[in-house]
Amino acid sequence: MSATPAAGSTTAHVLLGLLAAGPRHGYELKRAHDERLPRAKPLAYGQVYATLGRLQRDGLVTAVGQDQAGGPERTSYALTPAGRAQLDSWLERIETPAPYVTSTLLAKVAVALLVADADKARTYLVAQRRAHVERLRELTAVKTAPGADLGAVIAADFAIVHLDADLRWLQTTLERVANTHGEVRS
Amino acid sequence: MILQARGLVRSYGATPALRGVTLGLAEGEILAVTGPSGCGKSTLIHCLAGILRPDAGEVLYLGQRVDTLSEAARSKLRRGAFGVLFQFGQLVAELTAAENVALPLMLAGTGRREARTAALSWLERLGVAELADQRPGEVSGGQQQRVALARALVTEPRVLFADEPTGALDTLAGEQVLGHLVRLAREQGTTVVLVTHEPRIAGYADRELTLRDGVIDATGMGLTDKAVGA
Ligand SMILES: Nc1ncnc2c1ncn2[C@@H]1O[C@H](COP(=O)(O)OP(=O)(O)OP(=O)(O)O)[C@@H](O)[C@H]1O
Ligand SMILES: [Mg+2]
């Protein structure tokens, strides 16, 4: 048994989130994943099945029903209560405000809208924004401290502009979530 | 509490801009006021600075009403205890940088020579001493804002009101203006109200207050009932 818990990755949680709506086959999960979280490189089928395998091993999903031909692509998976608990705890956990967390933020908000409701997504967004603002303030203090050296300043700048971008996105998303209140479940 | 607002309401004709805003500023505090376009940030800062009179509610500076003062008394306040810095266009085009900075002091009765000496020292502190004899049209936007900041600070105000002070500047020029603003405010113990719609700029403040549709948004970003459509 591998030591890596399946639930360590964003992809694993997105799959758990997609299963919250009901059991699905691996190929359906891949399609739904790519639709929800479009990115340069679509998720490979291999990665879907490998992740599902680890989730199953950890008791977070269970195989329900297999078509006659068998094989993973014919297996339908369902979320277990443990899987649901794992998903909820991921949705509530604030991401460390650091450069490049945006894609995880996106995954989390997309999944929150999918499985929970606008209120839950909003609570998360507000809490995440608070963490970002706090970090932004700390970094601004670092760079405006008397005698800050150039290296420290440019490193702080790098993090600040990325956090600033995240914050703009969080703000916009919150407004969109507000505007579509009640219509966000798919 | 150096500055307080209670239940501020202000409309422009039928358009409500502030619908009951209550806040307080501690001495030396730097407060960022953020929120989407049209939420009432400029109206709020103008009411606080005594430029606009609220329709209802009160503004208190050191416990004294500001909103009920005469126009002349409010102008006097803005030449002394209050400093203001806007997005652009506050410098007198016909005057040099040094003359612009000296102006508030001269209006308050300081002699020309003394006012010029003070102006030069503030231009120096803002790193634009070499522009003393240039007119606003002859220097860059970022340099103009530093001159405008020198002019806002030359009277050593207790409260500085800045409405999108870097809104017209590129990132680096904006940071330089803001870096100076925050450093000097901390040195002088100046209380600052900083209006901005940029998270990066709000990061310079000690505290952030978000307005939405003319009211303070208690969630920090979140939503009034109206916005949620509940
Ligand atoms: N002089 C005016 N006449 C009529 N309506 C006005 C006037 N000034 C502002 N308003 C209205 O009052 C509301 C608040 O405007 P205000 O300028 O305070 O917003 P703001 O938050 O500063 O916006 P921005 O970020 O775009 O500067 C808006 O609906 C605006 O259209
Ligand atoms: Mg404005």
Side-chain angles (χ1 to χ4, degrees), chain A residues 6 34-35 58 64 80 95 115 121 129 143 145 151:
Chain A
D34 293 347
E35 263 167 37
D58 294 347
V64 289
T80 64
E95 293 301 318
V115 306
R129 177 180 189 270
K143 104 179 185 185

Side-chain angles (χ1 to χ4, degrees), chain B residues 37-38 40-43 45-46 87 163-164 195:
Chain B
S37 183
K41 304 182 295 294
S42 294
T43 306
I45 203 171
H46 282 80
Q87 190 166 339
D163 189 354
E164 303 273 8
V195 165

Side-chain angles (χ1 to χ4, degrees), chain B residues 82-106:
Chain B
F82 289 181
V84 292
L85 181 64
F86 297 129
Q87 190 166 339
F88 51 72
Q90 346 160 48
L91 297 174
V92 181
E94 293 75 20
L95 300 181
T96 64
E99 288 165 347
N100 263 291
V101 177
L103 193 61
L105 290 176
M106 288 170 64

Side-chain angles (χ1 to χ4, degrees), chain A residues 122 129 136-137 143 164, chain B residues 175 199-200 208 220-221 223:
Chain A
R122 194 154 47 233
R129 177 180 189 270
L136 191 66
R137 223 172 261 145
K143 104 179 185 185
D164 183 79
Chain B
E175 298 226 333
R200 202 169 40 77
E208 182 178 347
M221 116 180 253
L223 302 150

Side-chain angles (χ1 to χ4, degrees), chain A residues 58-74:
Chain A
D58 294 347
L60 303 177
V61 304
T62 177
V64 289
Q66 210 171 59
D67 299 350
Q68 301 90 327
E73 63 278 13
R74 293 290 180 171

Side-chain angles (χ1 to χ4, degrees), chain B residues 33-129:
Chain B
V33 177
T34 61
S37 183
C39 68
K41 304 182 295 294
S42 294
T43 306
L44 174 61
I45 203 171
H46 282 80
C47 285
L48 292 175
I51 298 166
L52 267 182
R53 232 192 252 262
D55 301 331
E58 44 192 52
V59 177
L60 298 109
Y61 168 64
L62 296 173
Q64 306 285 322
R65 288 286 288 269
V66 171
D67 54 290
T68 50
L69 293 175
S70 68
E71 176 51 45
R74 284 183 286 139
S75 299
K76 184 155 174 272
L77 202 55
R78 291 199 302 274
R79 288 199 303 269
F82 289 181
V84 292
L85 181 64
F86 297 129
Q87 190 166 339
F88 51 72
Q90 346 160 48
L91 297 174
V92 181
E94 293 75 20
L95 300 181
T96 64
E99 288 165 347
N100 263 291
V101 177
L103 193 61
L105 290 176
M106 288 170 64
L107 287 172
T110 306
R112 175 178 292 272
R113 185 175 292 265
E114 198 184 325
R116 180 169 169 90
T117 306
L120 292 176
S121 112
W122 276 95
L123 289 171
E124 173 89 54
R125 294 172 78 173
L126 283 155
V128 284

